[in-house]
Amino acid sequence: PAIWSCDYARMKEQEALHTYKTEIPEMPEGTIPIKGGLQALREMNPEKLRNPLPFTQESVNQGKENYGYYCVMCHGTQADGNGTVGQSFSPLPTNLKSSYVQKKTDGRLFYTITFGLNRHPPLGFMLTEADRWAIIYYIRSLGKDFKG
């Protein structure tokens, strides 16, 4: 009868086991941007940022959809700060319908969504710029002064 076994000697010669012997190529100068992108946004005055999207029902709906993916867990289905995950926070997440939030400029809200604040996670790497602006329109649509 034949005896089958693993050929450990040959396994040691596999390329996957010698990954550290591979030399990493030199990176061309300027490969990693040091200007523009989120860093440029971080250095801007949030109060000067303006929402580039048109305020339409479509942009509000886009914001509502993304709110459902990224915000509802903490801020809740009613955007009142009573989300399932948010219940474990002290203090509770902000009520997005409150005058405290509704009085903030779009730029300030965009900056907070992008870079986070206190317990609020930074979403700038997870959401496109357009999606972040659309969420702001959705938040605006929740305010008591909204006429739409």
Side-chain angles (χ1 to χ4, degrees), residues 1-140:
I3 299 177
W4 297 99
S5 64
C6 190
D7 187 356
Y8 288 108
R10 274 193 22 218
M11 285 181 67
K12 290 180 182 177
E13 298 304 316
Q14 289 184 6
E15 186 177 323
L17 297 176
H18 301 286
T19 58
Y20 296 108
K21 291 183 180 178
T22 304
E23 288 193 33
I24 298 175
E26 281 291 317
M27 298 298 289
E29 188 174 330
T31 299
I32 300 173
I34 57 172
K35 293 186 178 196
L38 286 179
Q39 185 56 36
L41 178 61
R42 185 182 297 277
E43 295 169 3
M44 292 182 73
N45 178 350
E47 303 304 323
K48 294 186 177 183
L49 296 173
R50 300 290 176 252
N51 197 330
L53 298 180
F55 190 74
T56 63
Q57 189 60 50
E58 183 180 330
S59 60
V60 171
N61 291 343
Q62 177 186 354
K64 183 177 183 177
E65 181 178 354
N66 282 291
Y67 177 89
Y69 293 136
Y70 296 96
C71 312
V72 75
M73 298 78 71
C74 295
H75 292 283
T77 57
Q78 302 300 308
D80 56 5
N82 290 312
T84 306
V85 174
Q87 293 302 297
S88 64
F89 297 162
S90 180
L92 291 175
T94 304
N95 178 345
L96 300 177
K97 297 184 281 187
S98 71
S99 61
Y100 171 77
V101 172
Q102 294 293 323
K103 288 180 183 177
K104 291 185 179 288
T105 64
D106 286 358
R108 177 58 65 188
L109 293 173
F110 182 80
Y111 197 88
T112 300
I113 292 168
T114 302
F115 298 111
L117 178 68
N118 300 327
R119 285 185 178 262
H120 193 288
L123 299 176
F125 298 102
M126 298 170 68
L127 284 161
T128 67
E129 183 176 332
D131 286 340
R132 286 176 273 151
W133 284 118
I135 287 173
I136 292 165
Y137 279 154
Y138 174 65
I139 291 169
R140 293 285 181 231

